[in-house]
Amino acid sequence: MGDSSERRVLMGKVVGVFGVRGQLKIESYSTPRDQIGRYRPWLMGRDGVLVEVRPLDVREQSKTVVIRLPGCDTREQAELRLGEEIWIARSSLPAPAADEYYWVDLEGLQVRLQDGRELGRISHMIATGANDVMVVQGERERLIPFTQGHAVLRVDIDAGFVEVDWDPDF
């Protein structure tokens, strides 16, 4: 994948074995689930030790996604891959639409109030039923809804900040 410092996006995880020919069941974090098959190459592994892989087949099977990998031809070989994560380069993702953001692009941004006071940085995002939530780490942790035009007034990826309308005591 070239530059090892390039940002990566976690796209899924191996959660099971399918059949006896080395196929794997994966939990896909893309929407729709089988969309994960559009991205190449994958980096697969665990504990930060990743190897470039180009899946041979990716298909939706009932409520899961089943994949076939080169050199993984038996159930025993497939079982060795259980728990592996699937990552892709951030550059593999299509450009987001206007006013849409990938979480990986928001994580690490400074969060500040309209008057310039800083609340901290986005450590990660959480999906809820109603909206996404920024987990902001500063002098304390804050959970701020990522609702554009309400709590979120402005996002400037290039300048590295999100401006919010938020009570700093909350």
Side-chain angles (χ1 to χ4, degrees), residues 96-111:
D99 292 327
E100 289 185 0
Y101 305 94
Y102 288 115
W103 285 7
V104 69
D105 296 336
L106 296 172
E107 293 166 352
L109 294 184
Q110 187 68 41
V111 177

PDB file of all heavy atoms in Angstrom, residues 96-111:
ATOM      1  N   PRO A  96     -16.514  12.195   0.056  1.00  0.00           N
ATOM      2  CA  PRO A  96     -17.853  12.343   0.638  1.00  0.00           C
ATOM      3  C   PRO A  96     -18.610  13.482  -0.039  1.00  0.00           C
ATOM      4  O   PRO A  96     -18.010  14.397  -0.592  1.00  0.00           O
ATOM      5  CB  PRO A  96     -17.579  12.659   2.107  1.00  0.00           C
ATOM      6  CG  PRO A  96     -16.198  13.211   2.133  1.00  0.00           C
ATOM      7  CD  PRO A  96     -15.461  12.601   0.978  1.00  0.00           C
ATOM      8  N   ALA A  97     -19.924  13.413   0.033  1.00  0.00           N
ATOM      9  CA  ALA A  97     -20.765  14.483  -0.514  1.00  0.00           C
ATOM     10  C   ALA A  97     -20.588  15.732   0.337  1.00  0.00           C
ATOM     11  O   ALA A  97     -20.046  15.676   1.442  1.00  0.00           O
ATOM     12  CB  ALA A  97     -22.224  14.037  -0.516  1.00  0.00           C
ATOM     13  N   ALA A  98     -21.048  16.859  -0.167  1.00  0.00           N
ATOM     14  CA  ALA A  98     -20.965  18.111   0.590  1.00  0.00           C
ATOM     15  C   ALA A  98     -21.657  17.938   1.935  1.00  0.00           C
ATOM     16  O   ALA A  98     -22.720  17.317   2.018  1.00  0.00           O
ATOM     17  CB  ALA A  98     -21.634  19.227  -0.201  1.00  0.00           C
ATOM     18  N   ASP A  99     -21.039  18.457   2.981  1.00  0.00           N
ATOM     19  CA  ASP A  99     -21.566  18.373   4.351  1.00  0.00           C
ATOM     20  C   ASP A  99     -21.685  16.947   4.875  1.00  0.00           C
ATOM     21  O   ASP A  99     -22.466  16.672   5.782  1.00  0.00           O
ATOM     22  CB  ASP A  99     -22.910  19.094   4.485  1.00  0.00           C
ATOM     23  CG  ASP A  99     -22.750  20.593   4.327  1.00  0.00           C
ATOM     24  OD1 ASP A  99     -21.693  21.117   4.739  1.00  0.00           O
ATOM     25  OD2 ASP A  99     -23.669  21.235   3.805  1.00  0.00           O
ATOM     26  N   GLU A 100     -20.929  16.019   4.289  1.00  0.00           N
ATOM     27  CA  GLU A 100     -20.817  14.658   4.813  1.00  0.00           C
ATOM     28  C   GLU A 100     -19.350  14.412   5.115  1.00  0.00           C
ATOM     29  O   GLU A 100     -18.470  14.944   4.432  1.00  0.00           O
ATOM     30  CB  GLU A 100     -21.333  13.619   3.818  1.00  0.00           C
ATOM     31  CG  GLU A 100     -22.828  13.649   3.647  1.00  0.00           C
ATOM     32  CD  GLU A 100     -23.334  12.530   2.753  1.00  0.00           C
ATOM     33  OE1 GLU A 100     -22.519  11.718   2.266  1.00  0.00           O
ATOM     34  OE2 GLU A 100     -24.550  12.477   2.527  1.00  0.00           O
ATOM     35  N   TYR A 101     -19.104  13.606   6.148  1.00  0.00           N
ATOM     36  CA  TYR A 101     -17.732  13.380   6.592  1.00  0.00           C
ATOM     37  C   TYR A 101     -17.546  11.930   6.989  1.00  0.00           C
ATOM     38  O   TYR A 101     -18.454  11.310   7.553  1.00  0.00           O
ATOM     39  CB  TYR A 101     -17.400  14.274   7.807  1.00  0.00           C
ATOM     40  CG  TYR A 101     -17.663  15.725   7.527  1.00  0.00           C
ATOM     41  CD1 TYR A 101     -18.875  16.319   7.865  1.00  0.00           C
ATOM     42  CD2 TYR A 101     -16.710  16.497   6.871  1.00  0.00           C
ATOM     43  CE1 TYR A 101     -19.127  17.640   7.574  1.00  0.00           C
ATOM     44  CE2 TYR A 101     -16.952  17.829   6.579  1.00  0.00           C
ATOM     45  CZ  TYR A 101     -18.167  18.389   6.930  1.00  0.00           C
ATOM     46  OH  TYR A 101     -18.412  19.703   6.625  1.00  0.00           O
ATOM     47  N   TYR A 102     -16.361  11.414   6.691  1.00  0.00           N
ATOM     48  CA  TYR A 102     -15.989  10.104   7.219  1.00  0.00           C
ATOM     49  C   TYR A 102     -15.504  10.306   8.642  1.00  0.00           C
ATOM     50  O   TYR A 102     -14.792  11.279   8.936  1.00  0.00           O
ATOM     51  CB  TYR A 102     -14.874   9.477   6.376  1.00  0.00           C
ATOM     52  CG  TYR A 102     -15.334   9.018   5.019  1.00  0.00           C
ATOM     53  CD1 TYR A 102     -14.849   9.619   3.860  1.00  0.00           C
ATOM     54  CD2 TYR A 102     -16.246   7.978   4.890  1.00  0.00           C
ATOM     55  CE1 TYR A 102     -15.258   9.193   2.604  1.00  0.00           C
ATOM     56  CE2 TYR A 102     -16.666   7.542   3.633  1.00  0.00           C
ATOM     57  CZ  TYR A 102     -16.169   8.160   2.499  1.00  0.00           C
ATOM     58  OH  TYR A 102     -16.582   7.739   1.268  1.00  0.00           O
ATOM     59  N   TRP A 103     -15.864   9.384   9.510  1.00  0.00           N
ATOM     60  CA  TRP A 103     -15.437   9.483  10.903  1.00  0.00           C
ATOM     61  C   TRP A 103     -13.923   9.602  11.006  1.00  0.00           C
ATOM     62  O   TRP A 103     -13.407  10.354  11.814  1.00  0.00           O
ATOM     63  CB  TRP A 103     -15.910   8.266  11.684  1.00  0.00           C
ATOM     64  CG  TRP A 103     -17.371   8.264  12.020  1.00  0.00           C
ATOM     65  CD1 TRP A 103     -18.323   9.148  11.591  1.00  0.00           C
ATOM     66  CD2 TRP A 103     -18.032   7.338  12.860  1.00  0.00           C
ATOM     67  NE1 TRP A 103     -19.543   8.811  12.109  1.00  0.00           N
ATOM     68  CE2 TRP A 103     -19.398   7.697  12.890  1.00  0.00           C
ATOM     69  CE3 TRP A 103     -17.622   6.232  13.583  1.00  0.00           C
ATOM     70  CZ2 TRP A 103     -20.336   6.997  13.637  1.00  0.00           C
ATOM     71  CZ3 TRP A 103     -18.560   5.529  14.315  1.00  0.00           C
ATOM     72  CH2 TRP A 103     -19.896   5.923  14.340  1.00  0.00           C
ATOM     73  N   VAL A 104     -13.203   8.854  10.181  1.00  0.00           N
ATOM     74  CA  VAL A 104     -11.734   8.877  10.251  1.00  0.00           C
ATOM     75  C   VAL A 104     -11.197  10.288  10.002  1.00  0.00           C
ATOM     76  O   VAL A 104     -10.140  10.642  10.516  1.00  0.00           O
ATOM     77  CB  VAL A 104     -11.115   7.850   9.277  1.00  0.00           C
ATOM     78  CG1 VAL A 104     -11.330   8.249   7.819  1.00  0.00           C
ATOM     79  CG2 VAL A 104      -9.650   7.627   9.559  1.00  0.00           C
ATOM     80  N   ASP A 105     -11.925  11.096   9.250  1.00  0.00           N
ATOM     81  CA  ASP A 105     -11.497  12.469   8.980  1.00  0.00           C
ATOM     82  C   ASP A 105     -11.827  13.408  10.139  1.00  0.00           C
ATOM     83  O   ASP A 105     -11.188  14.454  10.294  1.00  0.00           O
ATOM     84  CB  ASP A 105     -12.149  12.995   7.698  1.00  0.00           C
ATOM     85  CG  ASP A 105     -11.702  12.224   6.465  1.00  0.00           C
ATOM     86  OD1 ASP A 105     -10.612  11.626   6.500  1.00  0.00           O
ATOM     87  OD2 ASP A 105     -12.452  12.212   5.476  1.00  0.00           O
ATOM     88  N   LEU A 106     -12.826  13.059  10.940  1.00  0.00           N
ATOM     89  CA  LEU A 106     -13.210  13.893  12.077  1.00  0.00           C
ATOM     90  C   LEU A 106     -12.359  13.596  13.311  1.00  0.00           C
ATOM     91  O   LEU A 106     -12.076  14.490  14.108  1.00  0.00           O
ATOM     92  CB  LEU A 106     -14.690  13.679  12.420  1.00  0.00           C
ATOM     93  CG  LEU A 106     -15.691  14.097  11.345  1.00  0.00           C
ATOM     94  CD1 LEU A 106     -17.099  13.655  11.730  1.00  0.00           C
ATOM     95  CD2 LEU A 106     -15.645  15.596  11.120  1.00  0.00           C
ATOM     96  N   GLU A 107     -11.963  12.337  13.456  1.00  0.00           N
ATOM     97  CA  GLU A 107     -11.193  11.947  14.631  1.00  0.00           C
ATOM     98  C   GLU A 107      -9.871  12.703  14.674  1.00  0.00           C
ATOM     99  O   GLU A 107      -9.162  12.784  13.688  1.00  0.00           O
ATOM    100  CB  GLU A 107     -10.972  10.433  14.641  1.00  0.00           C
ATOM    101  CG  GLU A 107     -12.281   9.686  14.850  1.00  0.00           C
ATOM    102  CD  GLU A 107     -12.206   8.205  14.542  1.00  0.00           C
ATOM    103  OE1 GLU A 107     -11.179   7.728  14.006  1.00  0.00           O
ATOM    104  OE2 GLU A 107     -13.199   7.514  14.824  1.00  0.00           O
ATOM    105  N   GLY A 108      -9.592  13.285  15.825  1.00  0.00           N
ATOM    106  CA  GLY A 108      -8.368  14.066  16.000  1.00  0.00           C
ATOM    107  C   GLY A 108      -8.562  15.559  15.805  1.00  0.00           C
ATOM    108  O   GLY A 108      -7.678  16.347  16.152  1.00  0.00           O
ATOM    109  N   LEU A 109      -9.700  15.979  15.251  1.00  0.00           N
ATOM    110  CA  LEU A 109      -9.935  17.410  15.059  1.00  0.00           C
ATOM    111  C   LEU A 109     -10.166  18.103  16.405  1.00  0.00           C
ATOM    112  O   LEU A 109     -10.736  17.523  17.339  1.00  0.00           O
ATOM    113  CB  LEU A 109     -11.147  17.663  14.158  1.00  0.00           C
ATOM    114  CG  LEU A 109     -11.058  17.221  12.698  1.00  0.00           C
ATOM    115  CD1 LEU A 109     -12.311  17.635  11.948  1.00  0.00           C
ATOM    116  CD2 LEU A 109      -9.813  17.764  12.021  1.00  0.00           C
ATOM    117  N   GLN A 110      -9.725  19.347  16.482  1.00  0.00           N
ATOM    118  CA  GLN A 110      -9.949  20.187  17.661  1.00  0.00           C
ATOM    119  C   GLN A 110     -11.419  20.602  17.670  1.00  0.00           C
ATOM    120  O   GLN A 110     -11.984  20.896  16.619  1.00  0.00           O
ATOM    121  CB  GLN A 110      -9.044  21.422  17.575  1.00  0.00           C
ATOM    122  CG  GLN A 110      -9.048  22.273  18.792  1.00  0.00           C
ATOM    123  CD  GLN A 110      -8.398  21.587  19.979  1.00  0.00           C
ATOM    124  OE1 GLN A 110      -7.383  20.939  19.848  1.00  0.00           O
ATOM    125  NE2 GLN A 110      -8.999  21.729  21.136  1.00  0.00           N
ATOM    126  N   VAL A 111     -12.041  20.634  18.838  1.00  0.00           N
ATOM    127  CA  VAL A 111     -13.423  21.106  18.979  1.00  0.00           C
ATOM    128  C   VAL A 111     -13.366  22.400  19.770  1.00  0.00           C
ATOM    129  O   VAL A 111     -12.768  22.458  20.850  1.00  0.00           O
ATOM    130  CB  VAL A 111     -14.300  20.062  19.701  1.00  0.00           C
ATOM    131  CG1 VAL A 111     -15.713  20.608  19.907  1.00  0.00           C
ATOM    132  CG2 VAL A 111     -14.330  18.761  18.904  1.00  0.00           C
TER     133      VAL A 111
END
